[in-house]
Amino acid sequence: MRLVILSRNPELYSTKRLVEAAEQRGHSAQVVDPLTCDLLIEKNLPSVYYKGQVLQGVDAVIPRIGASVTFYGTAVVRQFEMMGVFSATDSQAIVRSRDKLRSLQLLSAAGLGMPKTAFTNFSKQEKNLVEQVGGAPLIIKLLEGTQGLGVVLAETKKAAQSVIEAFHGLKARIIVQEFIKEAKGADIRAFVVDGEVVGAMKRQGREGEFRSNLHRGGTATLIKLSKEEKNAALKAAKTLGLAIAGVDLLQSDRGPLILEVNSSPGLEGIEEATKVDIAGKIIEYIERNQIRKRKNTLKA
């Protein structure tokens, strides 16, 4: 197969591992920066140009689209889909997962547990927002934040009201979320590939830090998920239409609570913690899809 990995940086661990895993299985893998692609849209002949050349003969693409380039990145993925090229992650599923408010609404409608969450259109009722999620302490998140950035722990009602008022004054969209004390600054990342949890790790924030992100000094250890946790992760990925997903959840007294579903989850932390070839699992998923595609073609 000829694979294209849509990534802005070929030196990133996740990008290099996907190239390595593809080549180990006898495939070619080209890293393409989606922001340097030009899209030609015409009747029955959509095409993608990269460095002045048409990208032809591509069997599948693996999107590694960062949150800051979602708009153009997903446009490139859509173009490949229009060309009949298989995408390991559906373009609309990426868009769906990047809209934190929409994704939480969909997960809620699917009956999945999550921390109580409030959103408002710059309402002046900061006190009511605090009460709606159970009072302080509570978490305040920017809708566009990633890797723990734009996430604030407000330990008192007064602090919470002040932070909410400040964000609203800047016209920054936020969600206000219940603080799950019993999680003790830890969360779980379950890595889903093609309807299977292929690895899971528990991430613990460093001392004095409520955020468990590895980018912020957190540590990761292997964890075996309970049946309830595994089912929640699989259902969350399926609800958002993601064949590849990093599902973040909290362990609480009322069961697993979904925090977020990531459509471009990093591979470094999960591979180091689990010692599982996650990149290889992704390539195997694409191989299975190509086999199904050939069988369907022969039947037709």
Side-chain angles (χ1 to χ4, degrees):
M1 288 189 298
R2 183 187 175 194
L3 306 179
V4 164
I5 300 167
L6 295 171
S7 171
R8 298 220 62 210
N9 186 354
E11 297 305 313
L12 290 176
Y13 177 93
S14 299
T15 304
K16 289 195 292 186
R17 281 289 296 119
L18 288 166
V19 171
E20 182 182 88
E23 292 177 345
Q24 284 177 346
R25 288 160 177 76
H27 310 302
S28 67
Q30 179 183 6
V31 179
V32 170
D33 181 349
L35 295 196
T36 64
C37 291
D38 297 319
L39 311 180
L40 181 61
I41 304 168
E42 60 178 315
K43 184 179 179 180
N44 298 325
L45 195 62
S47 54
V48 176
Y49 282 78
Y50 178 62
K51 295 183 177 180
Q53 301 292 320
V54 181
L55 285 172
Q56 295 178 320
V58 178
D59 295 296
V61 295
I62 304 174
R64 298 291 307 173
I65 306 298
S68 62
V69 298
T70 298
F71 174 77
Y72 197 78
T74 52
V76 175
V77 178
R78 273 198 307 274
Q79 189 81 350
F80 276 110
E81 290 170 343
M82 289 168 59
M83 294 161 56
V85 176
F86 173 71
S87 176
T89 308
D90 179 80
S91 60
Q92 287 307 302
I94 297 173
V95 173
R96 206 176 290 127
S97 69
R98 289 287 160 76
D99 185 334
K100 287 185 182 178
L101 180 60
R102 183 184 181 193
S103 63
L104 287 173
Q105 289 172 323
L106 291 169
L107 295 170
S108 172
L112 284 156
M114 63 184 64
K116 193 179 294 184
T117 304
F119 175 78
T120 181
N121 189 39
F122 307 123
S123 167
K124 299 296 182 183
Q125 304 298 317
E126 290 87 3
K127 184 178 179 180
N128 289 346
L129 275 180
V130 172
E131 296 300 331
Q132 285 164 6
V133 298
L138 55 78
I139 303 294
I140 301 166
K141 296 181 181 179
L142 282 172
L143 280 180
E144 290 79 23
T146 60
Q147 297 180 353
L149 296 173
V151 181
V152 178
L153 170 63
E155 296 188 353
T156 67
K157 290 182 180 180
K158 187 174 181 180
Q161 290 172 217
S162 296
V163 173
I164 294 168
E165 185 178 351
F167 275 132
H168 282 175
L170 295 170
K171 297 298 180 184
R173 300 282 185 186
I174 60 170
I175 56 175
V176 180
Q177 203 163 59
E178 172 189 12
F179 178 67
I180 307 301
K181 183 179 180 180
E182 61 267 28
K184 298 179 181 178
D187 71 6
I188 291 173
R189 162 65 62 89
F191 205 107
V192 176
V193 179
D194 196 22
E196 178 187 356
V197 175
V198 296
M201 62 179 173
K202 186 170 186 176
R203 303 181 298 190
Q204 179 69 56
R206 67 177 188 269
E207 188 175 351
E209 174 61 73
F210 72 96
R211 292 166 294 187
S212 60
N213 303 75
L214 301 185
H215 293 85
R216 312 205 66 79
T219 57
T221 54
L222 177 69
I223 186 173
K224 183 176 181 179
L225 299 183
S226 68
K227 185 177 180 180
E228 191 179 9
E229 290 164 346
K230 184 178 291 188
N231 288 341
L234 293 174
K235 188 172 182 179
K238 184 177 181 180
T239 297
L240 297 187
L242 291 167
I244 299 171
V247 181
D248 297 339
L249 52 89
L250 295 176
Q251 294 176 309
S252 80
D253 293 340
R254 59 182 191 267
L257 304 178
I258 304 295
L259 280 177
E260 188 175 1
V261 184
N262 194 319
S263 56
S264 292
L267 302 182
E268 187 170 10
I270 193 76
E271 287 197 334
E272 286 184 359
T274 64
K275 308 306 179 188
V276 174
D277 179 10
I278 303 291
K281 298 287 187 182
I282 292 172
I283 303 303
E284 289 171 6
Y285 156 54
I286 296 171
E287 289 172 339
R288 289 194 296 272
N289 180 270
Q290 294 300 304
I291 291 171
R292 287 194 293 265
K293 185 177 179 180
R294 285 197 291 270
K295 285 182 178 179
N296 290 335
T297 301
L298 288 173
K299 286 180 181 179

